[in-house]
Amino acid sequence: MAAADGDVSTSEGKRSLSLGGHVGFDSLPDQLVGKSVTQGFSFNILCVGETGIGKSTLMNTLFNTTFENEEACHFQEDVHLRPRTYELQESNVQLKLTVVDTVGFGDQINKDESFKPIVDYIDTQFENYLQEELKIKRSLFNYHDTRIHVCLYFIAPTGHSLKSLDLVTMKKLDSKVNIVPIIAKADTISKNELHKFKIKIMSELVSNGVQIYHFPTDDDTITGINSSMNAHIPFAVVGSSEEVKVGNKTVRARLYPWGVVQVENENHCDFVRLREMMFRVNMEDLREQTHARHYELYRRCKLEEMGFKDTDPDSEPFSLQETYEAKRKEFLIDLQHKEEEMRQMFVNRVKETEAELKEKEKELHDKFEQLKRLHQEEKRNLEEKRRELEEDMNSFNLFYIYFSLTVLCLFLCLCICHLDFHYFLSIILSFYLCREGQDRTNNVAAQLLAATTWCDMIWRQIERDLWPPRASGGCWDLSDAHIAACWEACLL
Ligand SMILES: Nc1nc2c(ncn2[C@@H]2O[C@H](COP(=O)(O)OP(=O)(O)OP(=O)(O)O)[C@@H](O)[C@H]2O)c(=O)[nH]1
Ligand SMILES: [Mg+2]
């Protein structure tokens, strides 16, 4: 066989064979290209820069079109990101382009947290991709990948140095995204100043440990161009939506009273270098770096955070299945502990509540007993008072009977013996006082006095009107009419 004959080497346990005829797998790259072209590509650009620094104009200039543009105002309370996706086509290649704009960046008085929404946005895109990857039924083939492939960081053309906001933001982003720093509105800075400014920026980035994206030099086909282009970083760019006639050509340029700045003139600015490097030469590398470096880092940290690891504490390989089992066991033990804690907590609560209820019951019982005692005491007192009252009433009734009898007797005696009425009344009162004792006499004495007065009045009436015998010399001459009138007066 031809294949067997062509046995050449056995390095690393693999034998290289030469083929006797055409098999056809050399068309694999073409197959890949065909598939990729059919599938289309996605490319996501993040523009970070202060309000009005020229982000939208540069995007329009880069893609030679006019994207939707909404000017941001300088009074945003915080930074937010505005992603916009467009379907573009060049030749037969479809590109799903997402341009993410930072709105309100650098406009706040306190800029400490300005980087946070940007970092969060990038992480969210990574997280979405990771979630899709971890799904049982994945559809990465037609998944809209929104991970940021390149971050164009717009530096203001101050000619001085980087602002602390720029340094902080780039430092926070450099492990998450490919940063390409660019000097915006480069037409506003002179050539010498620009040169010095570029050197200053690079030295500041290095001294602050900010990792920016460098065009790869490991691929021989592009090493030359990439190495020379790396020397131009940060690119100084000019954007314009104006078209100006220069000679017999219409070009994108910015027209000034003193001349024309041509956007696509390499002597005027680095716009063409940026476009070439970003799209024509290194677009796939930017996509690959995003996936292999930045996303990989995010994924690793996230999985480690979730407890997954490749090796056990003895540095022995640890499979996903083992990790899962270990995690499950850990989780079950944790769950049991929590369950036990909850049960214990519940028992304690029940005990506490039971004790509280018992305490309350005891309090209520004591209160009830106390009230019962009070009630009985009250009842006893009332009984006592009732008895006393009854005794009073009895003695009073008895007294009235005695008194009435006495009065009657005395009245009769008086009638018969002509005794003085007041004299007899004082006898009655003394009699009463002696009988009842000192403490109960007040009331009765008052009544007696009233009765005395009443009797006195009757007596006087009788003396005046019905007692003619006395008025006529004291002879007792009781006719029937006199006696009747006397009784009538008594009864009244
Ligand atoms: N001199 C000069 N002016 C520019 C350049 N690019 C844009 N401008 C001008 O800067 C102004 C703001 O440009 P935009 O592209 O709207 O800036 P932006 O960063 O998108 O602004 P916001 O989206 O509102 O934050 C416009 O008047 C542009 O014409 C440039 O390269 N040089
Ligand atoms: Mg804009």
Side-chain angles (χ1 to χ4, degrees):
M1 296 280 284
D5 295 337
D7 193 344
V8 180
S9 78
T10 57
S11 66
E12 293 175 9
K14 289 174 211 149
R15 291 187 302 164
S16 290
L17 298 176
S18 54
L19 301 170
H22 183 251
V23 177
F25 62 75
D26 60 348
S27 69
L28 190 57
D30 301 330
Q31 290 173 36
L32 280 175
V33 168
K35 199 175 163 191
S36 299
V37 167
T38 319
Q39 202 179 325
F41 299 89
S42 66
F43 195 67
N44 307 316
I45 305 174
L46 169 66
C47 296
V48 182
E50 293 164 19
T51 303
I53 203 166
K55 302 181 289 291
S56 305
T57 310
L58 188 74
M59 283 300 111
N60 289 344
T61 319
L62 273 174
F63 288 92
N64 208 7
T65 185
T66 309
F67 294 116
E68 288 168 72
N69 187 20
E70 221 174 89
E71 275 184 26
C73 78
H74 287 277
F75 306 105
Q76 301 282 339
E77 273 181 22
D78 46 21
V79 180
H80 68 269
L81 280 84
R82 187 171 52 200
R84 282 195 175 126
T85 303
Y86 307 92
E87 300 266 1
L88 306 177
Q89 183 164 1
E90 196 172 42
S91 305
N92 62 342
V93 178
Q94 301 271 357
L95 181 72
K96 205 178 254 183
L97 174 76
T98 302
V99 179
V100 186
D101 213 350
T102 48
V103 181
F105 185 76
D107 283 337
Q108 293 73 38
I109 292 170
N110 183 355
K111 300 181 180 67
D112 289 355
E113 300 280 285
S114 294
F115 68 87
K116 218 167 169 298
I118 306 171
V119 170
D120 289 347
Y121 181 86
I122 295 170
D123 281 347
T124 307
Q125 310 320 309
F126 283 150
E127 184 60 32
N128 292 346
Y129 192 85
L130 180 65
Q131 289 306 320
E132 188 60 37
E133 262 193 349
L134 293 176
K135 273 184 189 169
I136 293 179
K137 238 177 133 182
R138 297 183 293 179
S139 53
L140 288 170
F141 175 73
N142 55 4
Y143 174 77
H144 179 206
D145 185 4
T146 52
R147 293 172 298 174
I148 300 295
H149 298 117
V150 63
C151 163
L152 290 179
Y153 196 96
F154 289 69
I155 299 165
T158 58
H160 287 268
S161 57
L162 282 170
K163 296 178 185 173
S164 51
L165 173 66
D166 297 332
L167 278 171
V168 169
T169 309
M170 280 197 259
K171 185 77 199 134
K172 293 283 177 191
L173 297 182
D174 69 355
S175 60
K176 295 178 181 293
V177 71
N178 300 312
I179 300 175
V180 175
I182 53 177
I183 299 168
K185 300 188 180 181
D187 53 325
T188 60
I189 188 167
S190 75
K191 200 173 174 181
N192 280 341
E193 278 174 348
L194 183 64
H195 181 67
K196 283 183 200 156
F197 191 37
K198 279 190 177 187
I199 294 170
K200 187 95 197 252
I201 289 171
M202 289 313 286
S203 76
E204 277 185 347
L205 289 176
V206 171
S207 61
N208 285 285
V210 179
Q211 303 282 322
I212 58 164
Y213 176 76
H214 286 282
F215 302 112
T217 49
D218 48 4
D219 182 348
D220 292 342
T221 54
I222 49 170
T223 305
I225 185 167
N226 276 357
S227 311
S228 68
M229 287 302 153
N230 278 334
H232 285 91
I233 293 175
F235 294 126
V237 295
V238 174
S240 174
S241 47
E242 275 179 70
E243 295 206 324
V244 179
K245 208 162 168 68
V246 178
N248 52 3
K249 267 170 65 183
T250 306
V251 291
R252 278 191 183 255
R254 295 191 76 83
L255 190 61
Y256 292 101
W258 36 263
V260 175
V261 178
Q262 293 174 36
V263 170
E264 292 180 79
N265 187 331
E266 288 191 29
N267 292 321
H268 290 190
C269 70
D270 298 327
F271 174 81
V272 174
R273 292 188 187 99
L274 173 71
R275 192 177 61 191
E276 290 285 294
M277 286 296 95
M278 207 163 70
F279 300 127
R280 198 177 63 77
V281 185
N282 295 301
M283 197 169 177
E284 183 47 27
D285 187 67
L286 285 166
R287 285 159 44 85
E288 201 185 299
Q289 289 285 322
T290 302
H291 185 74
R293 200 169 131 223
H294 302 301
Y295 170 67
E296 206 53 37
L297 181 66
Y298 176 84
R299 183 179 164 278
R300 199 178 72 214
C301 295
K302 195 75 191 178
L303 291 181
E304 277 174 0
E305 211 175 87
M306 286 160 76
F308 292 102
K309 43 191 176 258
D310 292 333
T311 54
D312 65 7
D314 307 323
S315 303
E316 291 295 317
F318 206 55
S319 74
L320 194 69
Q321 176 70 23
E322 285 169 319
T323 310
Y324 169 74
E325 287 296 336
K327 265 269 162 230
R328 194 164 171 272
K329 217 180 265 176
E330 209 177 283
F331 174 73
L332 283 175
I333 291 169
D334 201 39
L335 200 72
Q336 266 175 359
H337 278 152
K338 282 208 174 111
E339 211 177 288
E340 191 52 43
E341 268 174 31
M342 291 275 283
R343 192 179 297 127
Q344 199 55 45
M345 212 164 79
F346 181 72
V347 168
N348 288 347
R349 289 281 308 161
V350 168
K351 275 184 186 162
E352 272 172 29
T353 317
E354 214 172 72
E356 272 173 27
L357 280 174
K358 270 187 183 157
E359 185 72 23
K360 287 239 162 66
E361 196 184 324
K362 195 169 167 295
E363 269 175 29
L364 276 174
H365 193 262
D366 289 352
K367 213 169 185 175
F368 173 73
E369 285 297 320
Q370 197 185 351
L371 282 172
K372 206 167 141 188
R373 264 199 311 277
L374 277 174
H375 172 73
Q376 277 171 356
E377 213 167 292
E378 197 78 11
K379 204 172 155 189
R380 250 197 323 273
N381 287 344
L382 280 171
E383 271 308 309
E384 186 76 18
K385 276 194 178 136
R386 195 172 67 84
R387 217 183 59 247
E388 277 176 14
L389 268 171
E390 271 175 9
E391 272 174 20
D392 278 355
M393 268 170 66
N394 288 342
S395 56
F396 194 74
N397 287 343
L398 208 60
F399 165 76
Y400 260 113
I401 293 166
Y402 286 152
F403 180 73
S404 309
L405 284 174
T406 315
V407 168
L408 190 62
C409 291
L410 288 174
F411 181 71
L412 289 174
C413 287
L414 187 71
C415 292
I416 295 160
C417 309
H418 297 265
L419 288 175
D420 184 63
F421 180 71
H422 289 95
Y423 172 72
F424 287 106
L425 277 183
S426 50
I427 292 172
I428 293 162
L429 189 56
S430 319
F431 165 75
Y432 178 77
L433 286 172
C434 293
R435 191 185 156 274
E436 286 295 316
Q438 200 63 37
D439 54 334
R440 294 203 196 152
T441 51
N442 293 344
N443 245 346
V444 179
Q447 287 180 28
L448 270 175
L449 275 172
T452 313
T453 316
W454 180 75
C455 289
D456 192 28
M457 274 169 59
I458 293 169
W459 180 249
R460 283 174 203 283
Q461 188 80 20
I462 292 166
E463 249 186 349
R464 197 178 68 235
D465 302 332
L466 307 172
W467 214 254
R470 271 185 77 184
S472 60
C475 265
W476 193 253
D477 183 16
L478 285 176
S479 68
D480 285 348
H482 285 147
I483 292 169
C486 180
W487 277 113
E488 199 179 323
C490 286
L491 290 172
L492 277 171

